[in-house]
Amino acid sequence: MAVVSALYRYPIKGFTPEPRSELVVQDDGRVAGDRVLAFRFADATEPEDADGLASWPKSRGLALMDFPSLARVRMQFDGGRVRLSDGDTLLAEANLDDAGRRELEDAVTAFVRGTSDARLLDRPGVLPLRLIGDGVTSRFQDRARGYVSLHGEGSVTEVDAAVPASVDHRRFRSNIVVSGIEAWAELGWSGRVRIGDVAFAVQRPIGRCAAITANPDTGVRDARLLRVLTTEFGQDQPTLGILLLPVGDGGVVRVGDEVVE
């Protein structure tokens, strides 16, 4: 039987996942509390227009695609307070008022300066970094429409077996992980799927970027997973997981919920 085995949301774009026992799926197709904050470049603090929707391209802010070292930073978000650490080293702990945001921005800038990603900060328009978002509204997903992301455990298990590096679910940063289905089966889903009490319309597979090559513990690119997906698994484009939109008003998805295609 297919069931939900894990749930995640990501309060700050590009930073630590937050395991959850349940997720609230909003009627706008986003997960409550997911990507409610983002460190954006100085020249990218306002949304772009994407066919009438607000878009926040990840190429114009801190994201694992370009800044893999971010994976090392452990984030805790408790309402209006953010705590960032690198191993046992506290980088910053501050509220989301103006002074707190400046403290967090300075700490993250200093951290990146000490990594192999430092050179990327010197590009025009990047500094000073700005932490934006109200800490409540889900808005900084990779795609303007938002979406809920899902992948199957079996797909990740096969990728893990294909490379020497350890590969687990954290690399793919999905909201929902499903067990009890064959590897890659989710890529063949179409129409509607029900997860617990929530009905979803299947949208499309998730095309992957360089973010998945970063080790989620060390922040080092240690696996050429984009090439592995296309060569070892015969994909035209590197793909893992699918995008979903709720049908109707959304609802709550819980670990252990049955998944019915």
Side-chain angles (χ1 to χ4, degrees):
M1 181 176 70
V3 299
V4 174
S5 57
L7 296 169
Y8 299 97
R9 68 182 185 185
Y10 305 82
I12 304 181
K13 169 67 181 171
F15 285 75
T16 313
E18 183 181 66
R20 306 287 291 180
S21 60
E22 61 181 42
L23 293 178
V24 175
V25 178
Q26 303 172 164
D27 58 5
D28 67 354
R30 302 171 194 262
V31 169
D34 187 59
R35 279 91 168 184
V36 298
L37 296 166
F39 286 92
R40 300 289 294 176
F41 297 160
D43 65 356
T45 59
E46 296 295 331
E48 299 179 13
D49 179 79
D51 297 324
L53 297 174
S55 173
W56 301 89
K58 60 184 175 182
S59 61
R60 303 193 68 198
L62 292 189
L64 289 170
M65 176 180 70
D66 293 324
F67 295 85
S69 60
L70 295 178
R72 277 173 38 196
V73 179
R74 296 294 172 259
M75 182 281 307
Q76 293 175 294
F77 180 54
D78 182 12
R81 192 166 181 83
V82 176
R83 187 178 195 276
L84 302 174
S85 58
D86 177 19
D88 294 330
T89 301
L90 178 65
L91 300 177
E93 185 169 5
N95 295 326
L96 291 177
D97 54 18
D98 289 344
R101 287 174 189 261
R102 299 296 90 80
E103 181 179 346
L104 293 163
E105 291 160 358
D106 290 346
V108 170
T109 301
F111 168 79
V112 175
R113 280 287 186 206
T115 73
S116 59
D117 301 332
R119 69 192 186 284
L120 301 178
L121 295 178
D122 296 325
R123 295 179 298 185
V126 171
L127 293 178
L129 295 176
R130 288 292 179 243
L131 178 60
I132 65 172
D134 60 10
V136 176
T137 307
S138 177
R139 67 180 72 177
F140 300 111
Q141 285 79 12
D142 289 344
R143 302 158 188 87
R145 183 61 182 84
Y147 301 109
V148 176
S149 53
L150 175 151
H151 71 252
E153 282 190 1
S155 303
V156 174
T157 298
E158 286 212 345
V159 174
D160 180 44
V163 297
S166 176
V167 175
D168 63 36
H169 305 295
R170 293 175 296 168
R171 292 195 189 238
F172 302 98
R173 301 181 70 77
S174 292
N175 298 121
I176 302 173
V177 181
V178 175
S179 64
I181 60 175
E182 295 293 325
W184 313 108
E186 67 272 23
L187 296 183
W189 293 356
S190 61
R192 294 190 178 186
V193 60
R194 178 168 292 277
I195 304 176
D197 295 329
V198 183
F200 292 92
V202 177
Q203 301 299 300
R204 62 180 184 272
I206 301 173
R208 294 297 176 170
C209 69
I212 66 174
T213 67
N215 184 298
D217 294 314
T218 66
V220 173
R221 296 195 195 278
D222 64 352
R224 303 178 73 177
L225 296 185
L226 299 178
R227 176 173 292 185
V228 167
L229 287 171
T230 55
T231 60
E232 298 296 322
F233 298 102
Q235 299 179 353
D236 293 332
Q237 299 293 328
T239 303
L240 193 145
I242 57 174
L243 298 172
L244 306 171
L245 284 176
V247 177
D249 296 332
V252 180
V253 173
R254 299 175 176 84
V255 171
D257 277 351
E258 185 176 1
V259 180
V260 181
E261 184 189 353

